[in-house]
Every structure is written in structure tokens, then in C-alpha cells.
Amino acid sequence: MRYSLRQLQIFQAVAESLSYTRAAEALHLTQPAVFAQVRELQEQLGQSLIERLGKRLYLTEAGHEVLSSARAILGEAEAMEMRLAELSGLARGRLRLAVVSTAKYDLPAVIGAFGAAHPGIEVALTVGNRQELLARFAQNADDLYILGQPPEGIDAGAEVYAENPLVVIAPPGHPLVGRQSRIADLAAYPFLTREEGSGTRRAVEAAFAAAGVVPKGRMELGANEAVKQGVIAGLGLSVLSRGTVALELRHGYLVELAVEGFPLMRHWYVAWPRAKRKSLAAEAFLDRLRASQ
């Protein structure tokens, strides 16, 4: 074999992010080292795998073929390592978790407890929005996925493990603070939303549509932290998971408004590819999630 598993791993990171810089950061390598490994792989295969047009990278037809094979080869290599690790029980191994960004506020405590109980298990955590996680699910990139709704149209196993109430937040001193309001009352004020693809945004848009309300002057911000800071700065109202804003509510930087129909009661789901055999580490983490309810 003219190429190594490490070269395939590096190529996969570049091909999936379409960025040498992001791949280098994810792999804890320098950008020149990543570029050199991909160039060497192309020379060994005798094919151009990645093209640059302007400032963007694109996969060639050969690149798509190599990416598909790299995923299969690396997946089987990792499965072999996991099977060998399971011969030693939970003494060692790796657990890959992918979570929606809103869940990153509640999940670290569970991961911490799991790590204390199983110090030999390495936990790799990926954070993204719902669309990004569903893309990873389709690629079989992780062992378990934490989402606000179970995957749709995918052969997945899923179960609820916790409640996730969505609340209306405002800065202190807002005219609606201390009042009982209706959803229609919110339409008179600017509203901040998460980015397209966010599960929180989908739930909020459905609630407003059901009430026949169109929020005034919507501003789209790309992350929970940006939304929180925008509300604190007085840019508008918003709806976020209560867990996301627990600290700000506790210290008075934000106020939860009393609005009819809120909190929107959603749940956290843990999901996995139904056809994939769960590792001992994944089963143990599932048990930890169930115990945290």
C-alpha cells in the first residue's frame, strides 16, 4: 500500500472541511504539514484530489472517490480498535459525541461524570447546529448524537433523556418585564434569532406561525452566545433554551418573560445509527444519560 492511514485521515479532514487551516486545527498539526501530506497522497495515487478556484477548495471526481473509501477504511480501522478495546472491557477506548450547540451547556457535567468513572475512555466532542449533525449522522461520523428532535428520514434509534424548555428572554428594564404577555405582544419589538438550520429557531418559528405572528425586524445571529449578548445589549428579544441562559438569569443580566404558551417544552434526545452496533463506551454513556434524568 503506497499510502498510510494517517494520510487518509488528514485528507478526510481537509475534504470534509474544505479548508487546510480548519483541518490543521482539528488534527493539531501545522497547515504546511497538512498541505504536504495531501500533496504526497495525490502524488502517490497519481490523481488530483483537491482543486482551488479563487479562495475556495473543491473536491475533484477522484477526490470524492477517495473520500468515500477513506471513510470506509478509517471506520473499519476504528471499529477494529474498539473491538480490541472491548476485550479489556471499558479500560480503554474512544467515544465520539456530536451535540447541537444548545446542549453544550448541560452536557459537560454528564461527560465529566462519565470520564471520572471511565478514565481510560477518550471522549471526542463535536458541536454544531442540527443540519451539521444530521450531515455527520449520514456520514456515520460519531457514536451518539444529542439533538432537540430525533433525526427524520434516517434509520435511527433515539430516546428522550431530559427536558429542554425554551423561554422568552429580555434585558432588565424591558417594557414587558413583570407583565403577563401573549405571543402577539412580542411582535411589537425587534427579535433576535439563531441561524438557519438551528433546531431552536425551527421551534420558535413554528410557535409564532401557529399564533399568526410575524416578529418585527428580525436579526439573525449565528450562535447562542451572540444572541445572548445581543439581548443584553438591548438589540431585541429572543427565545433560547433555559439551560443556555441559566447563568445570565441567575445574575440578572437577562430576564425570563411571562408569555402565554411559554416555556415551549421540548426535550433532549440521544440518537444513534440503528444499523450500527453500539460500543461498550456508547452503551455506558447512554446509561449515564439515563441516570442523569
Side-chain angles (χ1 to χ4, degrees):
M1 184 165 54
R2 295 172 294 170
Y3 47 85
S4 67
L5 291 178
R6 185 57 169 166
Q7 285 177 317
L8 292 180
Q9 181 188 40
I10 291 172
F11 171 72
Q12 180 181 349
V14 175
E16 291 181 344
S17 65
L18 292 178
S19 168
Y20 288 107
T21 300
R22 286 197 293 272
E25 291 172 350
L27 296 170
H28 305 290
L29 297 172
T30 64
Q31 193 266 3
V34 169
F35 182 82
Q37 287 294 317
V38 173
R39 181 178 59 189
E40 184 176 340
L41 178 63
Q42 292 181 124
E43 291 173 353
Q44 290 170 337
L45 295 176
Q47 295 275 1
S48 175
L49 305 180
I50 296 176
E51 295 178 334
R52 181 182 294 277
L53 297 177
K55 295 184 177 180
R56 296 191 60 184
L57 299 182
Y58 295 87
L59 291 183
T60 64
E61 184 176 353
H64 284 289
E65 290 294 334
V66 173
L67 176 59
S68 177
S69 295
R71 286 170 175 162
I73 293 169
L74 293 170
E76 183 55 36
E78 186 165 320
M80 178 192 68
E81 291 178 356
M82 187 60 70
R83 289 193 294 269
L84 292 175
E86 288 181 357
L87 294 177
S88 303
L90 282 170
R92 60 190 177 89
R94 194 163 190 259
L95 175 66
R96 296 174 301 176
L97 301 176
V99 307
V100 291
S101 56
T102 305
K104 69 182 181 181
Y105 298 92
D106 300 312
L107 206 60
V110 181
I111 295 175
F114 177 81
H118 307 290
I121 302 298
E122 176 191 351
V123 178
L125 180 66
T126 299
V127 179
N129 66 26
R130 179 179 175 83
Q131 284 185 340
E132 292 167 338
L133 260 65
L134 292 180
R136 293 182 66 84
F137 200 108
Q139 297 166 5
N140 192 25
D142 309 280
D143 298 304
L144 298 172
Y145 301 81
I146 306 297
L147 311 100
Q149 288 289 334
E152 301 162 354
I154 299 176
D155 187 19
E159 61 182 70
V160 171
Y161 77 88
E163 291 184 341
N164 175 31
L166 302 183
V167 299
V168 184
I169 55 172
H174 191 276
L176 295 183
V177 172
R179 291 176 46 188
Q180 180 65 46
S181 305
R182 298 170 300 132
I183 294 182
D185 297 327
L186 305 181
Y189 302 94
F191 202 83
L192 310 184
T193 71
R194 285 281 309 277
E195 78 285 359
E196 192 71 39
S198 159
T200 299
R201 174 168 170 165
R202 290 176 62 197
V204 173
E205 288 178 342
F208 276 101
V213 173
V214 177
K216 172 185 175 183
R218 293 196 307 178
M219 181 185 299
E220 180 180 306
L221 299 174
N224 289 318
E225 290 301 323
V227 172
K228 287 193 292 185
Q229 293 304 316
V231 176
I232 291 172
L235 298 181
L237 305 175
S238 191
V239 175
L240 290 176
S241 168
R242 186 179 280 153
T244 300
V245 294
L247 185 63
E248 289 79 6
L249 293 175
R250 188 179 309 125
H251 290 283
Y253 298 117
L254 292 171
V255 178
E256 179 180 336
L257 297 183
V259 179
E260 184 180 353
F262 283 85
L264 294 176
M265 190 52 67
R266 302 176 76 227
H267 295 86
W268 289 123
Y269 290 81
V270 56
W272 57 89
R274 197 186 302 275
K276 181 178 181 179
R277 184 177 71 89
K278 293 192 291 295
S279 66
L280 288 179
E283 291 284 9
F285 192 79
L286 268 174
D287 290 340
R288 179 66 60 174
L289 283 177
R290 293 165 182 145
S292 69
Q293 296 183 33

